[in-house]
Amino acid sequence: RGEGWIELPLAEIVEVIPAEEASSSLRCAWQPVSGGDFVRPEEQQRLWLEELIRWAAQAQGLPVAFVRSVAEVESGLRPQAVSPKGARGLFQLMPETARELGVNPDDPWQNAFGGALLLRRLLLRYRGRVFAALAAYNAGPGRVKQYGGLPPFRETLDYIERVVRRYWELEAGEKIAKPSHRQ
């Protein structure tokens, strides 16, 4: 439907039904994934978001856990999130910022790419100083410049703390979850 596309291995296609003939009653609550396993739609969404964030992080050469922690704190991993101030998507990009980055903030893939690109640019601008980059992501580079470092806003300081805490949780979880090949 629409202008999207999807690629599937031929073996996973059971039947093709024209959109005009398809009805909502044909939809299944469980969807197949590679290997023939079935997962619930919410699990599919989680897997899709993980892949989206992994792709955006790798495209910008950033740690996946760092990019994911920003997305989690910004939007709770909700691609359709809109803040009261007008920030949109997973990475809560303001429309003007999205325009500057050349992305559509309402397209999850472009939003993720733009969010990771912005993080990379801020990390480069602040020479790897993560707290300064996160402060600029949250409050804007102008505020970081105005205060000569971290702005003294409770919201910004809490934001930095939440992102960093989530990053370390993700890092610890990955190290625990991945078995060591050296035994």
Side-chain angles (χ1 to χ4, degrees):
R1 293 186 180 189
E3 298 175 17
W5 55 270
I6 187 169
E7 290 185 15
L8 295 170
L10 188 56
E12 290 187 19
I13 299 174
V14 176
E15 180 179 12
V16 176
I17 301 171
E20 307 81 44
E21 297 174 23
S23 74
S24 60
S25 64
L26 293 174
R27 293 189 184 136
C28 179
W30 299 76
Q31 300 294 323
V33 293
S34 61
D37 294 333
F38 286 81
V39 295
R40 294 176 187 242
E42 58 272 10
E43 179 67 6
Q44 271 192 317
Q45 174 81 357
R46 186 187 67 73
L47 293 171
W48 173 76
L49 285 169
E50 284 181 14
E51 182 58 31
L52 175 80
I53 290 168
R54 183 178 304 107
W55 167 79
Q58 289 173 346
Q60 297 305 323
L62 297 173
V64 174
F66 179 65
V67 173
R68 181 186 170 117
S69 67
V70 171
E72 284 186 20
V73 171
E74 285 290 339
S75 70
L77 294 180
R78 294 186 329 260
Q80 288 77 30
V82 179
S83 79
K85 294 180 182 178
R88 309 182 71 79
L90 280 172
F91 287 84
Q92 291 292 278
L93 299 176
M94 293 299 286
E96 183 179 324
T97 302
R99 270 192 302 280
E100 290 170 7
L101 295 168
V103 299
N104 175 355
D106 296 317
D107 177 295
W109 289 91
Q110 290 187 41
N111 188 287
F113 181 84
L117 175 60
L118 180 57
L119 284 169
R120 180 175 177 269
R121 286 181 178 177
L122 292 170
L123 285 165
L124 290 170
R125 179 177 184 163
Y126 298 106
R127 298 179 185 169
R129 293 184 1 243
V130 175
F131 288 10
L134 289 172
Y137 195 99
N138 179 260
R143 294 295 192 172
V144 174
K145 183 177 180 179
Q146 176 185 355
Y147 289 97
L150 301 184
F153 307 135
R154 175 60 30 212
E155 175 188 336
T156 300
L157 299 174
D158 288 346
Y159 171 83
I160 294 167
E161 182 182 338
R162 289 177 21 231
V163 170
V164 171
R165 183 181 329 113
R166 185 61 185 137
Y167 169 76
W168 286 113
E169 289 170 357
L170 290 169
E171 279 292 296
E174 287 182 14
K175 286 181 176 47
I176 292 168
K178 291 181 182 176
S180 173
H181 295 290
R182 292 179 274 165
Q183 291 183 347

